[in-house]
Amino acid sequence: RRAHGMVLISAASGPQPFDPVFIADLPAPPQTRHMRLGLLPEAGVAEMVAGSLGPCVAERLAGDCYRISGGNPALVHGLVDDYRMGVRALAVPQLTVGPGTSQALLGILHRCDFSMLSMARALAIMDEAVPAAAAGRLVGLDSESAAKAMAALHDTGAVAGGRFRHPKLAVAVLDGL
């Protein structure tokens, strides 16, 4: 209690709760605090893009970055990296979902609960907006587990309305099979 220090523990969110035994062993508040980091708002994405690419480029790209990433910082970083690669390769730079964004998405999915990865694969295979129960049946999830996995996928920012925000995000999941 007298030591001045801080320990930060990061855990991926998902349908399965974090290990309750581990949480039970943590000190009670006020020594501990649980913080849930949500997705960035559009202005936050614009600020991130401006910090990496400058305000002029951010003005042009931030809206599309937000639309594709849903405000997920890892996906925004991937989009920025892909843009930089495109600047070196193309005469007319444009925002693309390339290897950086694909790696970011796969990293997110592989750190989460396996049911989320399974559900993402089902959505990528079906390639259309589908109810959670229908996608869940494809991968052997009951209705409740499928609904939780779909909600968790929406929380990543990569999925909205039961489908990937960008077709190349679905392609990235398929390529990861």
Side-chain angles (χ1 to χ4, degrees):
R1 289 182 185 220
R2 293 181 212 195
H4 295 283
M6 178 189 303
V7 176
L8 177 67
I9 301 169
S10 173
S13 62
Q16 300 300 319
F18 195 67
D19 184 0
V21 174
F22 180 81
I23 292 174
D25 287 338
L26 294 175
Q31 282 80 24
T32 60
R33 184 169 24 161
H34 176 87
M35 298 183 330
R36 177 162 165 64
L37 301 178
L39 299 171
L40 296 172
E42 191 166 356
V45 170
E47 192 174 313
M48 254 183 92
V49 174
S52 296
L53 300 173
C56 293
V57 175
E59 191 174 314
R60 272 193 359 258
L61 301 181
D64 285 338
C65 276
Y66 179 76
R67 183 182 54 75
I68 294 168
S69 72
N72 186 310
L75 294 178
V76 174
H77 280 295
L79 288 165
V80 166
D81 290 346
D82 289 338
Y83 178 81
R84 284 185 176 136
M85 281 181 25
V87 166
R88 290 190 293 269
L90 302 170
V92 180
Q94 60 186 6
L95 187 66
T96 60
V97 175
T101 311
S102 296
Q103 286 291 340
L105 175 61
L106 292 175
I108 291 165
L109 293 174
H110 283 278
R111 283 190 302 271
C112 293
D113 184 86
F114 186 73
S115 64
M116 286 176 62
L117 177 59
S118 297
M119 182 65 84
R121 289 172 172 167
L123 293 179
I125 290 167
M126 296 173 102
D127 194 32
E128 60 184 48
V130 294
R137 278 194 300 276
L138 183 64
V139 293
L141 295 176
D142 60 67
S143 294
E144 183 180 348
S145 297
K148 287 179 180 178
M150 182 71 86
L153 280 175
H154 278 80
D155 288 347
T156 68
V159 172
R163 71 178 316 158
F164 284 96
R165 288 180 174 269
H166 192 280
K168 287 189 178 177
L169 294 177
V171 170
V173 172
L174 293 174
D175 286 347
L177 285 172

